[in-house]
Amino acid sequence: MKNIVVVGAGTMGNGIAHLFAQKGFTVTLTDQSEPALQQAEKTIAKNLQRLCDKEKIDASLMQQTLDRLTYTTTAENAYNSADLVVEAVSENLAVKKAVFEQLSLKTPANCILASNTSSLSIDTLAVFTDRPRLVIGMHFFNPVPMMPLVEIIQGTETTTATVETILALTAILGKTGVLAKDAPGFVANRILLPMINEAITTLGEGVSDVQGIDTVMKLGMGHPMGPLQLADFIGLDVCLSILEVLDNGLNKPHYKPHAILRELVAAGHLGVKSGRGFYDYTQDPKNPTVAYKN
Ligand SMILES: NC(=O)c1ccc[n+]([C@@H]2O[C@H](COP(=O)([O-])OP(=O)(O)OC[C@H]3O[C@@H](n4cnc5c(N)ncnc54)[C@H](O)[C@@H]3O)[C@@H](O)[C@H]2O)c1
């Protein structure tokens, strides 16, 4: 496995592309949005420089990583020789359907098609392709270069050989792979998202404010980040999409997205990526101020 295409250059796509390139793969990062690609290129350069400054990588590896990356809105050439495509477009079934239909047409028949979906069914995505045996979930965590886990989701048709290839690849990337069944939200988000939703409910009921809730979970529970700030990092639109999938698939009250989450998404307050969510990141992203007052 040598040539990787990553589709979607948002929060996750840039991290996935960075990781593969740093580990020696030739990577094409593609997105329908030119500004998203430009932003991804800047983010990857900044993150590599930070790793270099902290002496986690040397200047030569930084340069090699940059040299292995190509950014394009039209990845036709890269698709022709792709060994693996990792799809990281928006968490929306219609958007992913269109992408997987195109990937079936444009990539070689033996190219593995992996999705970074947080919650959508791998079996459903596989139906949009000509090769369900080679379709798999490869669920990275944010920020991708730092987080040591990949949840690997085997669909009904995914072959053992495909799973073994992706497990081996995950190890080459320096991550721990954990296998999960194709159930709504898999393991991580099935457990995490109800906590975030409950934090929003707690906020909505006025039990405490944004800072209070996050501080309790950080200092009292040892979480590195409070649930409301974590929601901002994931993206409030992504949180809403995942909760909707969990609500439809598992039908338990704690998966029903809270109205505050819907209101913030409708207002375009999506968290870190839009500059504002429960916190405001526009002045100093490292020290955000509380934006949501209850
Ligand atoms: N944000 C997280 O913490 C996180 C963690 C794990 C997995 N995920 C999953 O990763 C995927 C991407 O999430 P994200 O947070 O990076 O989203 P994002 O909104 O930051 O980025 C999505 C990108 O996809 C692009 N896009 C949309 N339609 C496209 C198309 N047809 N062709 C090419 N590009 C297209 C958009 O322009 C955008 O740049 C989702 O499935 C999400 O559930 C997210």
Side-chain angles (χ1 to χ4, degrees), residues 10-12 31-32 88-89 91 96 116 118 139-140 234 273:
T11 309
M12 295 303 288
D31 198 292
Q32 62 186 8
V89 302
E91 186 77 344
K96 290 197 193 280
N116 185 49
S118 303
H139 182 215
F140 291 88
I234 293 170
K273 66 183 161 190

Side-chain angles (χ1 to χ4, degrees), residues 6 13 24 32 37-38 69 87 94 96 112-114 123 132 140 143 152 196 200 204 212 216 228 267 270 273 275 290:
V6 179
Q32 62 186 8
L37 281 172
Q38 285 167 3
L69 279 157
E87 169 278 311
K96 290 197 193 280
I112 293 180
L113 305 178
D123 283 349
F140 291 88
I152 294 168
I196 288 175
I200 300 171
V216 165
L228 298 170
L270 308 181
K273 66 183 161 190
V290 172

Side-chain angles (χ1 to χ4, degrees), residues 193-201 243 253-258 261:
L193 265 294
M195 184 187 74
I196 288 175
N197 206 30
E198 194 58 34
I200 300 171
T201 305
L243 280 167
H254 55 278
Y255 293 121
K256 204 157 282 308
H258 194 276
L261 181 61

Side-chain angles (χ1 to χ4, degrees), residues 7-13 30-33 36 87-92 95-96 98-99 115-119 139-142 189 233-235 237-238 242 273:
V7 191
T11 309
M12 295 303 288
T30 184
D31 198 292
Q32 62 186 8
S33 152
E87 169 278 311
V89 302
S90 318
E91 186 77 344
N92 175 301
V95 173
K96 290 197 193 280
V99 169
S115 176
N116 185 49
T117 180
S118 303
S119 60
H139 182 215
F140 291 88
F141 291 78
N142 183 24
N189 286 317
F233 268 80
I234 293 170
D237 53 338
V238 176
I242 298 170
K273 66 183 161 190

